[in-house]
Amino acid sequence: MSDATLHSVTQDPDDFAVQISDSIESFIVATTEVAKGDEPDSAVPFLLLEISQLLLAGGRLGAHEDIVPDERYEPDTGPEPDVDDLRERFAVMLEPVDVFSEVFDPYEPRKAPVPARISDNLADIVTDLRHGLAHYRAGRISEALWWWQFSYFSNWGPTASATLRALQSLVAHVRLDQPLAELDGLDTDEDLAEEELAEEAGRVMLEEIAAPLGLRSLRK
């Protein structure tokens, strides 16, 4: 991309910055709407779709050459919006399946899975994206793109990828009529090894989570 395109503030729909910002703003708006709980029956499928679309924007940022902001030091964006309400709403909505296990770095040998929460991840992703959006709305286009690219590699990208994997696995368990291991005894404050994760797992029948989260099996 040329510098002229990168630093353009026009709203050309073909502009890379406009497309990325539109994708990010769409995700924030959609996720905030889901968190309101007006349609809990479609929460999980909708989140699966939204994160999938967000990661397409992330992939474009990741494949792009390194973006260099105009200013040497990042301008102040003001106070960060509070995401605690968003986090808490998702924690309540997803309570039966909020906690999942993930491998933090798939290229680090013998790394044990660690517990994580979908609600925490969604709040963290929104926080990162809003930070860049504040720069974008202030007309600091290169700063916004730099931040979104940097945080895609360092935080929101891995977080979104892990969340997508958890949601996809959840949908697959339900649609394929496969019982889901219960993680009620697994806490994100605990440092559990792989064997301990297995010991914590109980059994939850799919019908207990399928209907409230808007999921149905492929076969009756």
Side-chain angles (χ1 to χ4, degrees):
M1 181 194 308
S2 67
D3 290 341
T5 302
L6 181 61
H7 302 298
S8 173
V9 294
T10 64
Q11 292 301 303
D12 180 355
D14 294 327
D15 187 279
F16 179 77
V18 172
Q19 292 175 355
I20 296 297
S21 66
D22 283 350
S23 296
I24 285 172
E25 187 163 15
S26 175
F27 174 81
I28 294 173
V29 170
T31 304
T32 303
E33 286 298 312
V34 175
K36 292 179 180 179
D38 295 336
E39 298 183 25
D41 290 349
S42 59
V44 168
F46 200 77
L47 289 172
L48 178 67
L49 175 62
E50 290 301 320
I51 292 181
S52 297
Q53 293 176 333
L54 175 66
L55 283 170
L56 174 59
R60 295 183 66 192
L61 287 164
H64 197 283
E65 62 187 11
D66 288 348
I67 298 170
V68 179
D70 292 334
E71 302 181 35
R72 182 176 180 182
Y73 299 103
E74 181 183 6
D76 185 13
T77 60
E80 297 285 350
D82 187 14
V83 295
D84 284 345
D85 181 64
L86 184 78
R87 188 192 316 273
E88 292 168 4
R89 285 176 179 271
F90 276 124
V92 172
M93 184 185 306
L94 302 171
E95 191 275 332
V97 291
D98 193 22
V99 179
F100 67 98
S101 61
E102 66 166 307
V103 176
F104 183 73
D105 186 347
Y107 283 100
E108 186 172 344
R110 298 182 180 84
K111 188 67 175 179
V114 295
R117 291 184 181 274
I118 296 175
S119 56
D120 288 343
N121 285 3
L122 291 170
D124 290 347
I125 294 166
V126 169
T127 297
D128 274 350
L129 299 181
R130 279 179 175 171
H131 185 84
L133 197 58
H135 285 305
Y136 185 85
R137 289 173 174 169
R140 297 186 290 268
I141 309 303
S142 65
E143 187 72 43
L145 289 173
W146 172 84
W147 170 258
W148 285 326
Q149 185 185 60
F150 166 76
S151 55
Y152 168 74
F153 289 124
S154 63
N155 190 47
W156 75 259
T159 302
S161 297
T163 306
L164 178 68
R165 182 70 183 93
L167 292 169
Q168 190 275 337
S169 178
L170 174 60
V171 172
H173 274 289
V174 174
R175 300 293 298 276
L176 299 176
D177 291 324
Q178 296 174 345
L180 187 70
E182 183 178 355
L183 295 178
D184 287 344
L186 178 61
D187 194 336
T188 52
D189 292 331
E190 299 176 16
D191 184 14
L192 300 179
E194 186 172 4
E195 292 182 358
E196 291 174 304
L197 285 173
E199 292 174 2
E200 292 288 348
R203 306 298 293 173
V204 172
M205 297 308 295
L206 292 176
E207 54 266 24
E208 295 181 13
I209 65 171
L213 295 178
L215 301 174
R216 292 176 295 178
S217 62
L218 291 173
R219 299 177 183 176
K220 298 297 185 181

